């Protein structure tokens, strides 16, 4: 790349005055650095519009002065202002509506109001307080970005500390103990005195890089989610939830189903989640504790991080993004993470199963295509939707309700045998939650000690959990309370089991006949499509 091409690119990016200043700064750089910049392929330079957007985001993220950079490191492991700015840029990108028109807003509010009335006949939980929101994509970002940052903060902190450790202990000599400046592309940015320490600078770069990942992920997600509870947890500050109207309408078009039916079904999903989380005060704190435990259990491979840093072509957030990417430097499945993940999967399955159960009962008389919509949603969750990808990229956690069908069938059975009031009352305390049938040792979502006397209820599948005092440990290892001893003894004696054997030959923990659709958690009975 010749000097004239670089000169013009800088002017296109920053305007005639600042572009000229940047060009003069580059000319004053040491020859070695200047030659490195001039050897870049012009085709690989970012477009001026992309540079301008990034500069605007950095300005909005509070990275205007060297003092701002120092303050950013001190404020926490993620620059939330930068993440929000980048997410809003994507949320407001091409094709996004800046507001919800009156007609669409009225249709969404009517659907959520009707959904609340229908749910009155299907569950005993009261509606959440307040009015649900009618959201744009940008409104969803505004309302949820703080929650995303909260969940990702423990991982970001581990990443930043690991970066500082690698630089200080392994690569310190490469920088002669001090960095006089850093480069965001070809434009030198002065570093304040307190940031010349390589470890401190890497914390700033890690902070910024993680914020950029979070911003891009949240921005992409804003184009896909339809409601505030699509992740299975409460992210919006408004407990009544809300729908992203543009995404609901686009989803209805993709399914080739009547838009009012799709709107009503998604409104039922949203309102059912809102009722559950508003009525069960311990539920969201439990999710937060388990996600936090998983995130704190993240272990970083310092050798892999060092390799990623050595491969970086420059010292800027984009170049070191590989060093803060869990898929490249994270050590997966530590014992602590396995415990937290098992507990999360169980609790999420119980939540999604309960919602699936009450939504079907509330909407079956009103939504002609409810079975198709129900199955579509189940399969989306089974293969991994946008929420799962976001969690995986940010904290390495594949969060999927893998036993959603099993849980839905369980809640249906409890409701049929004990009634809706008794079914919903099981959410009053973690120890009262039903236990999912499983061949493996049971993992429950409660937080008391396992009590064998409580593990057999009227449904035949009730059990308490075994979560530790911190609200996160939940392996019920060694728990034999869910075993059907009569059936096991019969098998041991090589006789034909009685009613305890399901249609597929597997013993059901509740002693009921197996169901190829709701109990196997593997393949649909009529199709070879993976399910949850």
């Amino acid at each position: 790349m010749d000097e004239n091409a670089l000169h013009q690119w800088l002017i296109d990016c920053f305007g005639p005055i600042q572009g000229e200043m940047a060009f003069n700064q580059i000319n004053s750089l040491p020859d070695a650095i200047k030659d490195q910049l001039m050897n870049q392929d012009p085709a690989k330079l970012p477009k001026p519009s992309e540079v301008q957007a990034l500069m605007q985001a950095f300005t909005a993220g509070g990275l205007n002065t060297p003092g701002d950079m120092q303050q950013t490191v001190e404020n926490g492991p993620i620059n939330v202002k930068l993440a929000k700015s980048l997410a809003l840029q994507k949320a407001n990108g091409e094709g996004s509506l800046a507001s919800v028109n009156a007609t669409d807003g009225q249709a969404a509010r009517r659907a959520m109001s009707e959904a609340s009335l229908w749910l009155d006949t299907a569950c005993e939980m009261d509606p959440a307080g307040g009015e649900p929101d009618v959201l744009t994509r940008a409104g969803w970002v505004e309302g949820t970005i703080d929650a995303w940052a909260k969940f990702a903060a423990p991982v970001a902190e581990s990443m930043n500390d690991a970066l500082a450790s690698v630089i200080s202990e392994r690569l310190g000599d490469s920088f002669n103990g001090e960095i006089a400046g850093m480069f965001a592309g070809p434009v030198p940015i002065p570093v304040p005195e307190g940031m010349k320490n390589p470890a401190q600078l890497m914390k700033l770069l890690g902070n910024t890089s993680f914020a950029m990942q979070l911003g891009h992920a949240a921005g992409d997600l804003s184009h896909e989610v339809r409601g505030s509870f699509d992740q299975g947890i409460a992210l919006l500050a408004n407990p009544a939830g809300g729908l992203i109207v543009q995404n609901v309408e686009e989803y209805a078009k993709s399914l080739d189903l009547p838009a009012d039916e799709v709107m009503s079904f998604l409104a039922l999903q949203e309102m059912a989640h809102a009722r559950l989380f508003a009525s069960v005060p311990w539920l969201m704190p439990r999710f937060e504790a388990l996600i936090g435990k998983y995130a704190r259990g993240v272990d970083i491979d310092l050798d892999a991080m060092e390799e990623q840093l050595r491969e970086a072509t420059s010292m800027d957030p984009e170049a070191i993004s590989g060093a803060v990417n869990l898929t490249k430097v994270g050590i997966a499945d530590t014992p602590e993470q396995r415990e937290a993940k098992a507990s999360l999967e169980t609790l999420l399955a119980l939540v999604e199963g309960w919602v699936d159960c009450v939504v079907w009962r509330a909407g079956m008389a009103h939504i002609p295509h409810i079975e198709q919509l129900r199955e579509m949603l189940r399969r989306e969750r089974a293969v991994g939707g946008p929420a799962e990808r976001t969690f995986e990229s940010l904290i390495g956690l594949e969060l999927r309700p893998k036993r959603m069908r099993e849980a839905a069938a369980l809640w249906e059975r409890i409701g049929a045998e004990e009634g809706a009031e008794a079914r919903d009352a099981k959410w009053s305390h973690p120890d009262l939650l039903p236990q999912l049938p499983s061949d493996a040792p049971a993992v429950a979502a409660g937080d008391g000690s396992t009590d064998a006397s409580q593990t057999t209820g009227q449904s035949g599948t009730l059990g308490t959990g075994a979560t530790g005092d911190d609200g996160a440990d939940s392996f019920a290892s060694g728990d034999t309370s869910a075993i059907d001893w009569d059936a096991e003894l019969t098998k041991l004696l090589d006789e034909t089991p009685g009613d305890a054997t399901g249609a597929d030959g597997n013993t059901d923990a509740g002693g009921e006949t197996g169901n190829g659709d709701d109990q196997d958690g593997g393949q649909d009975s009529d199709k070879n499509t993976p399910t949850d």
Side-chain angles (χ1 to χ4, degrees):
M1 176 172 60
D2 60 30
E3 290 191 1
N4 291 332
L6 177 61
H7 190 192
Q8 186 59 49
W9 181 81
L10 290 170
I11 291 176
D12 292 340
C13 289
F14 307 109
I17 297 177
Q18 293 184 339
E20 192 67 38
M21 292 174 59
F23 183 70
N24 292 333
Q25 286 181 307
I26 289 175
N27 280 330
S28 65
L29 291 173
D31 290 339
I33 297 177
K34 182 179 176 181
D35 290 343
Q36 182 182 2
L37 292 173
M38 298 303 297
N39 287 332
Q40 294 187 66
D41 182 358
K44 294 183 178 180
L45 289 175
K47 296 178 181 178
S49 59
E50 294 174 349
V51 175
Q52 292 165 8
L54 186 61
M55 295 299 291
Q56 291 172 3
F58 270 63
T59 299
L63 295 175
N64 302 307
T65 67
D68 291 339
M69 299 176 195
Q70 179 75 41
Q71 187 67 35
T72 295
V73 174
E74 296 172 357
N75 285 343
I78 302 176
N79 185 339
V80 181
K81 289 174 65 178
L82 176 58
K84 181 178 178 180
S85 176
L86 291 170
L88 287 175
Q89 283 187 2
K90 280 185 169 283
N92 289 319
E94 185 177 354
S96 295
L97 300 177
S99 62
V100 180
N101 64 46
T103 301
D104 292 341
Q106 184 179 9
R109 292 185 181 92
R110 182 173 60 251
M112 289 187 282
S113 177
E114 288 178 345
S116 189
L117 291 175
W118 299 343
L119 285 168
D120 286 339
T121 67
C123 72
E124 299 298 317
M125 294 184 180
D126 295 328
E131 293 293 326
D133 292 329
V134 176
L135 299 166
T136 61
R137 292 166 177 171
W140 179 86
V141 167
E142 294 270 7
T144 62
I145 192 68
D146 288 334
W148 287 116
K150 180 179 179 181
F151 292 141
V155 174
E157 187 169 3
S158 297
M159 286 289 190
N160 292 348
D161 290 342
L163 279 171
S165 175
V166 168
I167 289 295
S168 298
E169 298 175 10
R170 303 188 179 198
L171 302 179
D173 292 341
S174 301
F175 299 98
N176 297 319
E178 182 177 295
I179 299 176
M182 79 171 182
F183 294 86
V187 183
I189 302 176
V191 178
E193 290 297 322
M195 298 299 296
K196 289 184 178 180
N197 181 297
Q200 282 294 97
L201 178 59
M202 292 310 296
K203 280 192 174 185
L204 171 64
L205 292 174
N207 176 303
T208 303
S209 181
F210 210 93
M212 292 172 70
Q213 290 188 51
L214 174 59
H216 289 312
D220 290 338
L221 195 58
S222 71
H223 288 255
E224 302 180 31
V225 293
R226 280 92 62 172
S228 70
F229 289 96
D230 275 22
Q231 291 73 28
I233 56 178
L235 293 173
L236 204 62
N238 182 1
L243 292 176
I244 299 91
V245 179
Q246 182 178 2
N247 293 353
V248 171
E249 293 175 344
E250 292 181 0
Y251 182 60
K253 291 179 182 177
S254 71
L255 298 179
D256 196 24
L257 289 175
D260 58 340
E261 284 192 45
V262 177
M263 180 77 78
S264 294
F265 177 77
L266 295 177
L268 273 172
Q269 287 280 331
E270 188 72 7
M271 296 301 98
H273 276 100
R275 287 192 182 212
L276 181 60
F277 278 88
S279 301
V280 184
W282 58 263
L283 185 55
M284 193 58 197
R286 176 60 48 82
F287 271 118
E288 292 173 352
L290 290 171
I291 293 173
K293 179 179 180 178
Y294 184 94
R296 287 190 299 273
V298 167
D299 200 2
I300 308 300
D301 185 340
L302 297 183
D303 291 331
M305 180 172 281
E306 179 179 342
E307 182 179 349
Q308 290 292 325
L309 288 173
R310 290 190 183 278
E311 291 179 358
T313 56
S314 60
M315 297 299 292
D316 65 77
E318 290 283 2
I320 70 161
S321 60
V324 294
N325 188 326
L326 274 181
T327 61
K328 296 180 179 180
V329 301
I331 300 176
D333 290 333
T334 63
E336 186 180 46
Q337 287 180 302
R338 285 196 294 270
E339 290 185 18
K341 183 177 181 180
S343 301
L344 275 166
E345 288 177 350
T346 297
L347 187 56
L348 187 63
L350 288 171
V351 168
E352 295 300 293
W354 182 89
V355 169
D356 182 82
C357 171
V358 300
V359 163
W360 183 81
R361 290 193 169 274
M364 61 180 179
H366 308 281
I367 303 174
H369 294 92
I370 192 170
E371 289 294 349
Q372 293 94 317
L373 289 164
R374 186 188 194 193
E375 184 63 22
M376 180 67 69
L377 189 63
R378 283 176 165 184
R379 295 186 182 192
E380 282 183 357
R381 299 306 304 272
V383 301
E388 290 75 25
R389 292 196 299 273
T390 302
F391 269 107
E392 188 172 357
S393 65
L394 293 175
I395 59 177
L397 177 59
E398 186 182 275
L399 193 63
R400 301 180 188 178
K402 295 183 177 179
R403 293 183 285 174
M404 179 178 171
R405 289 178 187 273
E406 189 179 6
L410 175 59
W411 286 118
E412 285 281 1
R413 184 162 66 246
I414 295 173
E417 295 177 356
E418 303 180 38
E421 184 175 357
R423 177 200 65 199
D424 296 348
K426 299 190 187 302
W427 287 102
S428 61
H429 192 278
D431 290 350
L432 298 179
L433 284 179
Q435 179 177 293
L436 295 177
S438 176
D439 293 334
V443 182
D447 73 333
S449 299
T450 300
D451 183 352
S453 66
Q454 296 177 346
T455 57
T456 305
Q458 294 178 17
S459 69
T461 54
L462 299 185
T464 61
T467 337
D469 292 337
D470 63 353
D473 296 333
S474 59
F475 266 129
S477 56
D479 179 14
T480 59
S481 57
I483 297 176
D484 189 329
W485 291 107
D486 290 338
E488 294 300 319
L489 181 59
T490 303
K491 287 197 297 183
L492 183 64
L493 297 175
D494 206 16
E495 297 177 1
T496 303
D499 293 338
T501 303
D504 58 358
N506 294 325
T507 301
D508 184 274
E512 298 205 7
T513 301
N515 182 315
D517 182 29
D518 286 325
Q519 298 292 345
D520 60 6
Q523 299 288 334
D524 277 355
S525 58
D526 58 341
K527 296 182 180 180
N528 292 324
T529 304
T531 69
D532 43 311

